[in-house]
Amino acid sequence: MSDDDNKGTIVLVDDEEMVLSSISSFLNLEANYNVKSFLSPHEALNFIQANETNLIISDYLMPEMDGITFLAKAREMRPQATRIILTGYADKENAIKAINDVGLFQYIEKPWDNEEILIVIRNGLERESLMRKLDDKVRQINKAYDELQNLHREIVKTFA
């Protein structure tokens, strides 16, 4: 496993360069995350499709595509990735609605508190890691169950 895999890949999407650089710079200073920033939701989706992504942060209001639509498409590609939305105060009601619509982990209000966003990201990455481990265990259990079913059929066929 490479170092990039160990630190978690975060995709950050916002149509404001200042927001991207502010959050990216803060995360690079305070944590060891692999942050990929995009002004375009379409470019971010291309990246998500081609690369392992652990956590996705999207602005709610963007000209190319709203954050809910973007996160719904990202969810189809990377269902285990934790999804977070950035929203202005006026958008809070829609952001809360998105919790159900796109399986949102959390919304963060603009302007955000750096310590709060760091905690949310750490918790989101931990959630994604636990979900991945759970999926692996379920696959292992299903494989073992299939093997037991096959063994059972062989025993029944042999002794019936």
Side-chain angles (χ1 to χ4, degrees), residues 116-131:
E116 177 190 357
I117 203 168
L118 193 58
I119 290 168
V120 169
I121 288 170
R122 284 181 182 151
N123 289 343
L125 287 170
E126 179 67 16
R127 175 218 164 266
E128 187 272 343
S129 174
L130 291 171
M131 294 299 288

Side-chain angles (χ1 to χ4, degrees), residues 27-83:
L27 292 176
N28 286 328
L29 286 172
E30 295 295 321
N32 194 29
Y33 302 132
N34 182 21
V35 180
K36 303 294 182 185
S37 299
F38 298 91
L39 289 167
S40 163
H42 296 290
E43 290 177 17
L45 288 171
N46 289 337
F47 177 87
I48 292 167
Q49 181 67 43
N51 298 277
E52 186 64 34
T53 303
N54 306 98
L55 187 136
I56 304 163
I57 302 173
S58 174
D59 186 20
Y60 177 69
L61 291 176
M62 299 180 286
E64 282 183 39
M65 178 187 308
D66 69 79
I68 304 304
T69 303
F70 167 76
L71 289 173
K73 291 180 180 197
R75 182 184 193 184
E76 291 173 12
M77 295 176 199
R78 302 282 176 204
Q80 295 305 343
T82 298
R83 290 166 300 282

